[in-house]
Amino acid sequence: MLNQPTLEKLHALRLVGMAEAFRAQAEQPDLTQLSFEERFALLVDQQWNWKQNRALERRLAHARLRHRASVEDIDFRSPRGLDRTLVRSLTQDSGWVREHLNIFLIGPTGIGKSFLACALAEKACRDGFTAFYTRASQLFRDLALARADGSLRTLLARLARLDVLVVDDWAMAPLAEGERRDFLEICEDRYQIRSTVLTSQLPVAKWHEQIGDPTWADSILDRLVHNAHRLEMRGESMRKKRGKEQ
């Protein structure tokens, strides 16, 4: 009962993790053998962990990742041409995000590009970065709607602030004039200060043709290609393979 006012004050201060640790300590008499400094350190550690976990939950919620994926679940056994060493180096503390590099995941449908993209973004969230997933078709619809209702600048500013932008199924269809213009602005805002992940069934050499206008294509690709890692995947569809195994 004597601890209740302290617990209420901790909750009022939004120190929920510390309150939980304080309650747990009260239920563990063996902890009385620890010094005040040691017990206080445990309280602070619990509060720190609680705050970090809540922040990660928010980042993952805002990321809207298509798959519940993690780099620990990447399948390197299937022959898909994935360079294990490169993937490991990229995911080590998400160094590619710290260095503002892009990643291109190229390969046929069903090979696992979207899963890998989401796994890279999820790891970036765990390492303290913000991320957001969208399909290219949805991105262009959102941009068109924002232009129509006058909120385009707000949307572009939000995309520019993201540490990692994942655009799935890029270059699946030729870009319209407005799409080229808006995507160039996104690339310009992110160039050398943010990271972008693009997945595509088409090789990079075909992107110029899909973008359409040569001048716009040169400008877009110039801001994407030169600081990008390319992971070219090949082999049988993972979805098809799983179907055979069932």
Side-chain angles (χ1 to χ4, degrees), residues 8-27:
E8 292 175 355
K9 290 175 183 176
L10 288 172
H11 279 286
L13 292 169
R14 298 182 181 179
L15 299 175
V16 178
M18 188 172 287
E20 293 173 353
F22 183 66
R23 183 184 293 107
Q25 285 194 15
E27 297 171 356

Side-chain angles (χ1 to χ4, degrees), residues 65-80:
L65 301 180
R66 179 180 179 182
H67 299 284
R68 298 188 62 177
S70 66
V71 294
E72 291 80 10
D73 294 331
I74 296 174
D75 183 3
F76 290 104
R77 296 170 299 177
S78 299
R80 294 185 291 170

Side-chain angles (χ1 to χ4, degrees), residues 172-240:
M172 292 289 288
L175 271 62
E177 180 181 351
E179 294 171 344
R180 291 192 290 265
R181 180 174 58 249
D182 291 340
F183 199 73
L184 175 58
E185 187 147 3
I186 290 172
C187 293
E188 178 65 31
D189 288 342
R190 303 181 61 76
Y191 181 57
Q192 294 189 329
I193 58 173
R194 297 287 187 269
S195 295
T196 303
V197 180
L198 301 179
T199 80
S200 181
Q201 294 183 37
L202 296 178
V204 176
K206 295 284 188 180
W207 292 2
H208 197 281
E209 179 183 347
Q210 291 294 84
I211 294 171
D213 182 280
T215 302
W216 288 97
D218 288 343
S219 297
I220 290 172
L221 295 179
D222 184 62
R223 289 160 175 79
L224 287 172
V225 173
H226 301 302
N227 60 336
H229 288 284
R230 302 187 194 185
L231 280 71
E232 298 187 6
M233 306 164 69
R234 57 187 180 273
E236 186 179 15
S237 166
M238 299 293 284
R239 288 192 288 266
K240 185 177 179 181

Side-chain angles (χ1 to χ4, degrees), residues 58 130 158 167 217 233:
R58 289 193 298 271
T130 58
R158 181 169 65 84
V167 181
M233 306 164 69

